[in-house]
Amino acid sequence: MNRALQMVLAELPVTDGLTCTEDLRFFYEGSPIAECEAVGDTLILDIHCHELDVPILIDEFEFCRPAKARGPEWVRIVLMISPGREELSAVKEAFMSAIDRVAPGFDAPLDNPFTKGAKDMDKYVCVVCGWVYDPELGDPDGGIPAGTAYADLPDDWVCPVCGAPKTEFEKE
C-alpha cells in the first residue's frame, strides 16, 4: 500500500457509516463521497464536497484544485510520498465537507484522530541546544520515520545534536 494512502487512512474520522472499498472508493452511509487512485508514490483523491466549501478549500489549501472532469462540487488533492500536516488537514477538511453534504449537521466524534493528530504533531525544542524535533521530518539518522509524533518517540530517544534526553524538550 502506498505511504500517502496509509497516512490518509490513519487520519480519517472514526465514525459508523464511513466505508472504503478495495478499489479505493469512499462512502458515507452508502453515498459516494470520494475516490482515490494510488500511482506509485502519489495519491490522487477526488472528494465530492459541499458546494459552498469548494471555493474555500481551493483558496485555503494549495493542494486543492477543482476536479474538472467530475463537476463543480468535486475537489482534487494530490499527495506525494509522505504528506505533511497541512496536506492531511486539507484531506480532513474535504472529507468532513463531503460527509456534511450527505448528512447535514454531521459532527466528528470527540475521539476523532484528526484532533488527536493535530495535538500530537506539535514541534518540540531541546532546551539544552535549541534543536527542534519536527514530527513531519522525524529523526531519520536516529531511526525515527517522518510522521512520528513526539509522544510516540521511544523513552530512550535523545537529541541528535547534543544527546539530551527526551525529558529536556518543550513544546514549541
Side-chain angles (χ1 to χ4, degrees), residues 1 12 28 33 42 47 49 64 69 71 74-75 93 103 110 123 129 145 147 153 163 168:
M1 180 184 300
L12 292 179
Y28 183 73
I33 61 169
T42 303
I47 306 170
C49 299
C64 294
W74 287 81
V75 170
E93 293 296 325
L110 293 176
K123 295 178 183 179
C129 72
L153 291 173
E168 293 297 316

Side-chain angles (χ1 to χ4, degrees), residues 33 47-57 72-75 93-105:
I33 61 169
I47 306 170
H48 192 180
C49 299
H50 191 285
E51 65 185 78
L52 298 176
D53 293 333
V54 172
I56 296 167
L57 289 165
E73 296 91 19
W74 287 81
V75 170
E93 293 296 325
F95 264 90
M96 296 309 292
S97 173
I99 292 171
D100 187 55
R101 179 186 56 78
V102 174

Side-chain angles (χ1 to χ4, degrees), residues 18 34 154:
L18 182 62

Side-chain angles (χ1 to χ4, degrees), residues 39-116:
V39 181
D41 291 333
T42 303
L43 180 66
I44 301 166
L45 296 102
D46 286 341
I47 306 170
H48 192 180
C49 299
H50 191 285
E51 65 185 78
L52 298 176
D53 293 333
V54 172
I56 296 167
L57 289 165
I58 291 171
D59 186 51
E60 185 174 343
F61 297 105
E62 64 182 86
F63 332 97
C64 294
R65 302 276 187 267
K68 294 179 182 168
R70 300 215 180 247
E73 296 91 19
W74 287 81
V75 170
R76 174 166 283 183
I77 301 174
V78 178
L79 303 175
M80 302 309 274
I81 301 169
S82 292
R85 185 172 24 180
E86 191 171 350
E87 289 99 329
L88 292 173
S89 181
V91 172
K92 170 212 161 197
E93 293 296 325
F95 264 90
M96 296 309 292
S97 173
I99 292 171
D100 187 55
R101 179 186 56 78
V102 174
F106 170 82
D107 285 324
L110 293 176
D111 61 349
N112 183 336
F114 290 123
T115 306
K116 178 179 178 280

Side-chain angles (χ1 to χ4, degrees), residues 125-132 159-164 168-169:
V125 180
C126 176
V127 296
V128 176
C129 72
W131 184 80
V132 177
C159 176
V161 173
C162 70
E168 293 297 316
F169 280 72

Side-chain angles (χ1 to χ4, degrees), residues 151-165:
D152 295 333
L153 291 173
D155 290 336
D156 62 350
W157 178 82
V158 296
C159 176
V161 173
C162 70

